[in-house]
Structures are given as C-alpha cells and as structure tokens.
Amino acid sequence: MFTQKALQAIEQSISEEGILASCKRKDNYARVWSRDSMMTGITGILIKNQSIIDGLEKSIKTLVKHQAENGQIPSNVDGEKASYGTLVGRTDATVWWIIGACEYILYTEDEDLKKALKEKINKAFSCLKTWEFNQRGLLYSPLGGNWADEYVTSGYVLYDNVIRYWAFKSAAKVYEDAHLQSLAETTKELIENNFRKNGIHAERYHETAYQKANKTPYLWASLNANGYDERFDLAGNALAVFLGLNLNLDAFTLFLEKLKLEFGHWMLPVFYPIIFPEDTDWNLLENNYSYQFKNQPYHFHNGGSWPIYLGWLCLGLKKRGYDKIPLEILNQYEKLLKEKGADFREYYSTDQLLPAGTEFLCFSACGYLLMKI
C-alpha cells in the first residue's frame, strides 16, 4: 500500500524540467534540486522505475544547463532561475549531480549523453578540486554548505567527502578512467584514516586533533582547523556503509541499538547528540536559517529523523549482510505512516515522533522505497 503511495508522490513531482523536491508549492520545494532529484532518480534506477528514470534524465539536463563558469552545479533551478545557495554555496549539489549523471549513464548505456557530458563532468570535478583549498584530497565545506544547510557542521565534512568518493567511483566506471579510479581509492583511504581511530599508522590531516579525538563506533561528522566535531552524522555514516567503507559493523550496529533504546524508537536522529539552547553550539544554529527557525531540539537537522537517510542506512546494512535493524526501521516507519498519515513528511521529531516539514517530499518517499529494496 505505502509503496504505491510513495511512487505516486514522486511521479506527481516529475515536471518537464525534472524531479521537483515536492509536488507541494511551499517555500522553494517546487524546484529541481540537485541532491533531491539525483537521490530520487538513483532510487528509480535501483527499483527500475522508468518514469522516475526519465525524470532523472530531465533533471540532469536542466541542472547542467545552468552550470557556472567555474564548473559548479546549481543547488536548485526554478525555470530559468538558478540558485547556487543563498547564505553560502552548496558543496554537495555539484557532487550529487556527477553521481546522478554517471549512475544514469551506467544504467542506460546512453553513449550520446556520455559524450555530451564528459567535459561538463570534468569541469565539475575541477570545481570540487579547488574546494579542497589545501590540495590534500578532502573537500572543504562552509557552515551550511550541504544538505544540512541550517546545521553546525563545516570544514572537512564526512558526508560531502563520502559522496565525492562515490562520484569518483562512478565516473571512473563510466569513462574507464584509471586516474579517477585512483582518486576514488585515495579518497576512501583519506576518509578511513581521518574520520575514525583505526590503529593504522598514517598521515593525518590534523594530527593534534586526531590524537585528542575519542574512539567511536562510527565515523566522526567533520574536521576543522579547531579540531573534530565527533557528533554522529547518520547521513554520512549510512552512505559510507552503503559504499563499502571499512567500518566495524558489529560495533556500529550495537551503537544503533543503544540509540534506539535512548530514544525509544527506530526513527533515529540524523545528528546526535541533540543541541540545546544552553550548549555552546547553539549560537551556530540560532541565526542560520532562510525562512523560519526549524532547529529546535529534536527537530529538523537538530536531531530530527529523516526517512531518506534511514533508507540509505537500511540499504547499506542489508548490502553488508545486516538485515535485523533494517527490518525494524521499516516496521517503525510503516507504523508511523499508518498512524500519523502517509503523506511522506520531511522528517519526524525524535522526542514525540510528530511528522513535520513539507508534505509529499520525494526524499521521504524515496526513503521508504529504499527501505523496501
């Protein structure tokens, strides 16, 4: 029942320009967003849904039409108006576009598009290279520079670097490029050596901060000049698991079980721990928004539960042979859809499990479909 509703929500969001974030015309959701349309399109590939795959093709072409001179792909496009980010640029938009374009080409074997996009993809990679700033291999993102655009992570952010690894990996396959494959392997190694205590002797980005950081069963959220943000970033870790990064999954799944016990349910927070007004990082949250403040404790990026990233988590764990937690997350989400409305809201508050944010969000519909694969 919910599968059909999820597909319907996505199909109603497909326009002539591509896949909109939502069919609801609220704030800026009725636009072709790079990350939303690419993740939705990749979900379409995974479930072999031609309507969504066609929407992905439109999204790829719409976004690249507005590629900036430096190679940057817009965060979103509305008609002929492109936005590259309002308060700051969105690092992940360019990365997700490369991933979506390459996964589409790999699936369809579209040789014409492969040739047409080669220069554009190279230009996008060139832009990302300049965002390393120190030529050491990891991508640097400003505060608010990715999907969690009203949150506190910045610097060498786990999530952005994990998806850049995916971009290198996919592009290397498309173009049979040994250099891109080498960059993929280097990026993977950099992530594994800089975002967790692994007992391996390696050159670190910030040796002093690395020595002071605590050992955790997950990859740390970000690294900056002033040290590590050791928060749990569910999105970055979920994608890392899905892409096969080296992580002790027994310890990782035990951590997820403990989170479930703490919150009393399987709608796990997208960032943890929660930031409260008395905490030091609150000042990074309170003014960082465009329309209204959404990051109250347990809400939005500040501990809200996002089905899209729970979907990637489920898919990643199942891919690695861990089936128990994905089933429990799916059962929890289906229970909420049944009891609190199957309109695929943006996120759930993790204190009261209240559905919140925009309705019929492709992100959330995709999250459900990813859980079902």
Side-chain angles (χ1 to χ4, degrees), residues 8-23 25 29-33 37 40 51-63 77-79 362:
Q8 189 177 18
I10 294 169
E11 286 164 4
Q12 287 178 350
S13 301
I14 299 173
S15 69
E16 284 304 308
E17 288 74 41
I19 305 168
L20 309 178
S22 169
C23 58
R25 296 204 164 266
Y29 288 86
R31 300 179 183 182
V32 177
W33 286 79
S37 63
T40 303
S51 175
I52 300 174
I53 294 166
D54 291 344
L56 173 60
E57 181 188 12
K58 291 176 184 174
S59 304
I60 291 163
K61 291 177 177 176
T62 293
L63 289 160
V77 173
D78 181 13
C362 284

Side-chain angles (χ1 to χ4, degrees), residues 29 35-36 147-149 234-235 238 266-271 294-295 298-313 329 333 345-350 356-358 361 363-364 367-368 371:
Y29 288 86
R35 73 181 73 90
D36 298 61
W147 86 273
D149 53 356
L234 187 144
W266 274 109
M267 299 303 287
L268 304 176
V270 77
F271 286 104
K294 301 175 185 175
N295 273 319
Y298 305 103
H299 284 261
F300 205 48
H301 303 131
N302 189 18
S305 181
W306 290 65
I308 178 62
Y309 293 116
L310 287 175
W312 284 117
L313 176 66
I329 290 173
Y333 191 29
R345 296 287 285 274
E346 195 165 14
Y347 72 93
Y348 289 83
S349 65
T350 47
T358 302
L361 204 73
F363 250 13
S364 298
Y368 179 75
M371 290 176 199

Side-chain angles (χ1 to χ4, degrees), residues 163-179:
I163 60 172
R164 192 185 185 203
Y165 162 62
W166 188 355
F168 280 137
K169 195 162 166 274
S170 291
K173 278 187 200 169
V174 169
Y175 294 104
E176 299 174 336
D177 189 312
H179 177 61

